[in-house]
Amino acid sequence: MRSTSMRTVAGLLGAAVFCLAVPAPAFAGTGAPRKPTPFCGTDRATGLAVSATENVPCATALQAAAAYTKVWHGTKGAPVEVRAAGATWKCQERRGDPDPYQVCVGTQDHTRLVLLSS
């Protein structure tokens, strides 16, 4: 019984190390370097995880995500511009591995990114 518990613990630790070692997804077409994206919370309407680059406060990221998820249905993946936290964001679905994800890019500063993912 003890060896089964030890194998389970070792497996979970190995999985955690693997997940932490994988780089954050690149934001295709933005020219942004791969940077770790801090987790900010979940979008209330969709339950999607919201992350942002270091230059976007989490409160701003959550506001941009909420503005986008209010209007994204019916857009069929086309880019949508939304206003949130005093800025304009261009948002759309992107292909990812394994799932598609949603990304919002600041129109005044393309290094400001907000990521929504499951």
Side-chain angles (χ1 to χ4, degrees):
M1 183 71 168
R2 182 161 169 84
S3 90
T4 302
S5 296
M6 290 302 288
R7 275 189 260 147
T8 301
V9 169
L12 290 173
L13 286 173
V17 168
F18 174 76
C19 289
L20 293 173
V22 175
F27 297 93
T30 63
R34 288 182 176 214
K35 290 184 182 179
T37 55
F39 174 71
C40 292
T42 56
D43 175 63
R44 290 183 182 187
T46 62
L48 293 175
V50 178
S51 303
T53 49
E54 293 173 350
N55 58 347
V56 179
C58 280
T60 299
L62 291 167
Q63 289 174 28
Y68 177 48
T69 58
K70 284 181 183 177
V71 298
W72 75 349
H73 292 293
T75 62
K76 298 182 181 179
V80 176
E81 283 195 3
V82 296
R83 293 255 330 138
T88 302
W89 300 85
K90 185 175 180 180
C91 306
Q92 76 179 109
E93 182 175 283
R94 298 280 174 91
R95 289 279 152 220
D97 181 26
D99 300 315
Y101 61 94
Q102 314 297 323
V103 67
C104 295
V105 180
T107 59
Q108 297 296 318
D109 179 356
H110 292 187
T111 67
R112 294 172 44 103
L113 304 172
V114 176
L115 174 73
L116 292 88
S117 61
S118 57

